[in-house]
Amino acid sequence: MIRYENIHKIFGDLEVLKGVNFEIATGEVVCILGPSGSGKTTLLRCTNYLERPTKGAVQVGDVKVDSASCTKTEVQALRKNSTMVFQNYNLFRNKTALENVMAGLTIVQKKQKNEAKEIAEHYLNIVGMGERMNYYPSQLSGGQQQRVGIARGLALKPHAILFDEPTAALDPELVGEVLSVMKDVTRTGITMAVVTHEMDFAREVADRVVFMDGGVVVEQGKPSDVFDHSQNPRTQQFLRAVAKKE
């Protein structure tokens, strides 16, 4: 479960998040949509305190952190409950795919190398990277690097996994392979928050869609309700604009 309670985030004179409130149930897949600058990536980064909210509380699993009184220990506990897949992969360039997945297991979870290697191999096989686990990032396509990033996140066995526009940096022909892996991940029952511009993906896999604009949640509901029967003019405008680009 992920819960956002009155989340505000201010950068200088710019208020990016203006009181966000919603919850993602355990095992639910929620796709967060919206135009650039709507605050959706900032909200995702606030989930595990890569950005500290200016105001409000975040809960992931059984760990709740209030920005007004949080401690380093609480933030560390929050981060253990979730992991993020970034749009630019964030792999260690000097480590193989296997070593990249092992890193979090040995450094963060303090597992022995043999155990970490076994776990890493398992998840690399799940995302279809078993035959390339000894390749370095420079030897992999963008789609393959992103699959390594997904394996790295899954290997930590978090309560929730956060996807920040995971296909945004990919060539169009590589998008499908990453979305296919993400669809497989949705079947594992893990809680997922996905910031994405892939409307077809959101329609197909999301249990719920959240549309943000101007730092607030404008509308949310089942994909069919939001895409086909939107009640908010701003949502309708956004979806029409997206449809014209496709």
Side-chain angles (χ1 to χ4, degrees):
M1 179 267 287
I2 302 172
R3 180 182 292 130
Y4 302 104
E5 297 180 6
N6 194 31
I7 299 297
H8 292 253
K9 180 62 182 178
I10 300 172
F11 295 100
D13 296 328
L14 180 62
E15 188 174 15
V16 177
L17 298 175
K18 303 175 182 178
V20 175
N21 293 277
F22 71 92
E23 181 176 318
I24 301 173
T26 300
E28 188 178 22
V29 178
V30 170
C31 286
I32 304 172
L33 314 178
S36 297
S38 59
K40 53 192 187 298
T41 290
T42 299
L43 179 66
L44 210 65
R45 292 175 65 84
C46 285
T47 309
N48 58 5
Y49 270 57
L50 289 177
E51 296 287 354
R52 178 172 175 169
T54 305
K55 179 182 178 182
V58 175
Q59 183 171 347
V60 181
D62 59 356
V63 179
K64 182 177 180 179
V65 179
D66 192 314
S67 64
S69 59
C70 67
T71 65
K72 184 177 180 179
T73 300
E74 288 176 332
V75 171
Q76 289 175 336
L78 186 75
R79 288 176 176 168
K80 287 181 179 179
N81 272 2
S82 67
T83 188
M84 183 176 285
V85 176
F86 300 89
Q87 60 179 274
N88 291 315
Y89 326 132
N90 281 28
L91 300 181
F92 294 109
R93 310 306 296 179
N94 63 336
K95 294 182 182 293
T96 64
L98 179 64
E99 291 167 340
N100 264 282
V101 179
M102 288 177 60
L105 296 167
T106 56
I107 297 170
V108 178
Q109 297 188 349
K110 309 299 183 184
K111 294 186 182 297
Q112 295 297 313
K113 284 189 175 181
N114 286 343
E115 182 184 4
K117 183 173 183 289
E118 184 177 337
I119 294 170
E121 289 176 344
H122 171 72
Y123 283 100
L124 283 166
N125 279 311
I126 283 179
V127 300
M129 290 298 294
E131 294 183 357
R132 291 178 171 81
M133 64 177 62
N134 293 316
Y135 285 39
Y136 288 90
S138 62
Q139 299 171 303
L140 301 173
S141 70
Q144 290 168 341
Q145 291 183 61
Q146 193 60 289
R147 284 191 274 161
V148 173
I150 294 171
R152 178 179 55 188
L154 291 173
L156 295 171
K157 297 182 180 179
H159 176 82
I161 188 164
L162 317 171
F163 291 87
D164 181 18
E165 298 191 26
T167 62
L170 298 177
D171 292 333
E173 62 184 11
L174 300 176
V175 170
E177 68 179 72
V178 172
L179 294 180
S180 178
V181 170
M182 290 176 64
K183 289 175 186 177
D184 291 340
V185 173
T186 66
R187 301 184 187 105
T188 67
I190 193 170
T191 306
M192 289 173 57
V194 186
V195 170
T196 184
H197 286 105
E198 300 291 340
M199 299 298 136
D200 288 342
F201 174 81
R203 181 189 286 272
E204 182 179 348
V205 307
D207 297 303
R208 186 157 43 97
V209 169
V210 173
F211 175 68
M212 291 184 64
D213 188 41
V216 299
V217 174
V218 174
E219 188 169 2
Q220 60 178 303
K222 294 180 180 179
S224 58
D225 292 336
V226 174
F227 285 113
D228 301 326
H229 307 287
S230 172
Q231 300 300 303
N232 189 281
R234 181 64 186 97
T235 311
Q236 295 167 5
Q237 180 187 32
F238 173 78
L239 293 174
R240 283 196 300 268
V242 170
K244 288 180 180 179
K245 294 178 180 179
E246 295 178 346

